[in-house]
Amino acid sequence: MSSIGRSSNNNRSAGAKAKKLSGYLEFSSWLLTLFAMLTQMSVKFSFPSYNVALGFWGAYCAFSSNGRATFGFITFSFIGIILDIIFCSINGSDTTEFKFCLAMLIICLFIKIYALYYASLFFASIGGASSFEKDENLNESMYDSLVGSLSGSGGYYPPESNNMGNSTSSFVAADDDQRGESSED
């Protein structure tokens, strides 16, 4: 078998792995959304509501296979886990309503850990940091298209030594003149 045939089989298996992992991420995201909504059942106590947004964000990542969105989900899930632990350690009440919402928040915490694990595996399966460079249609990323637009006519040109007008030595000389030193010695 040629190396081309093996490469296409590896791409198919990588695609199948990414699809399977996106299914786990989607399931955990919808589950996180459900339990985050149950956390908001309290009328007297305010529980963190960012878990609802994280659930929808995770579902978007599973559907879009966007590397930047998935990396953002991983980052904010990790921050959310820390904030959930802080919230659980600071707040407390003996009412059954609070205990129910706290139990739902703790379940959200475990679901978020599960989602974080599968989001990390999914992020690695779609290319990890290299998924920032190109999308699935081989189009340029937003950063690359911005850099490409800068090189066209009529675009903004960032300061470089060949288009600044003054060289670095003229800035040094002007700086020396301000201190009272002459660069003509």
Side-chain angles (χ1 to χ4, degrees):
M1 184 191 282
S2 69
S3 63
I4 296 171
R6 279 182 271 168
S7 172
S8 65
N9 285 339
N10 288 338
N11 289 341
R12 275 189 240 135
S13 65
K17 181 179 179 184
K19 186 171 178 135
K20 181 179 179 183
L21 291 171
S22 75
Y24 290 132
L25 178 59
E26 179 189 0
F27 172 74
S28 62
S29 297
W30 291 124
L31 203 59
L32 178 63
T33 303
L34 172 72
F35 280 97
M37 287 182 184
L38 289 175
T39 301
Q40 301 303 315
M41 297 292 285
S42 176
V43 177
K44 296 178 185 177
F45 303 101
S46 176
F47 279 81
S49 60
Y50 53 81
N51 290 326
V52 177
L54 277 176
F56 285 122
W57 193 346
Y60 168 76
C61 293
F63 285 119
S64 70
S65 300
N66 187 326
R68 289 176 194 255
T70 306
F71 183 74
F73 176 76
I74 291 168
T75 303
F76 288 114
S77 291
F78 183 73
I79 292 169
I81 289 170
I82 293 170
L83 292 176
D84 284 349
I85 292 170
I86 291 171
F87 180 84
C88 289
S89 64
I90 291 175
N91 296 314
S93 178
D94 285 337
T95 63
T96 56
E97 183 181 26
F98 182 85
K99 289 179 181 179
F100 173 78
C101 292
L102 185 64
M104 295 300 111
L105 183 67
I106 292 170
I107 291 172
C108 280
L109 179 68
F110 288 118
I111 293 171
K112 204 179 312 179
I113 292 170
Y114 177 83
L116 184 63
Y117 174 73
Y118 280 108
S120 300
L121 292 177
F122 176 66
F123 181 66
S125 72
I126 61 172
S130 65
S131 67
F132 294 163
E133 299 300 322
K134 304 268 184 207
D135 64 5
E136 64 274 357
N137 296 326
L138 298 178
N139 295 325
E140 292 179 322
S141 69
M142 290 195 305
Y143 175 77
D144 292 335
S145 63
L146 175 65
V147 171
S149 70
L150 297 178
S151 63
S153 63
Y156 168 75
Y157 296 99
E160 294 177 1
S161 61
N162 60 353
N163 68 356
M164 285 180 61
N166 294 339
S167 66
T168 308
S169 62
S170 65
F171 287 116
V172 173
D175 191 34
D176 288 342
D177 289 340
Q178 289 176 352
R179 282 188 258 149
E181 300 173 2
S182 174
S183 60
E184 298 173 7
D185 293 339

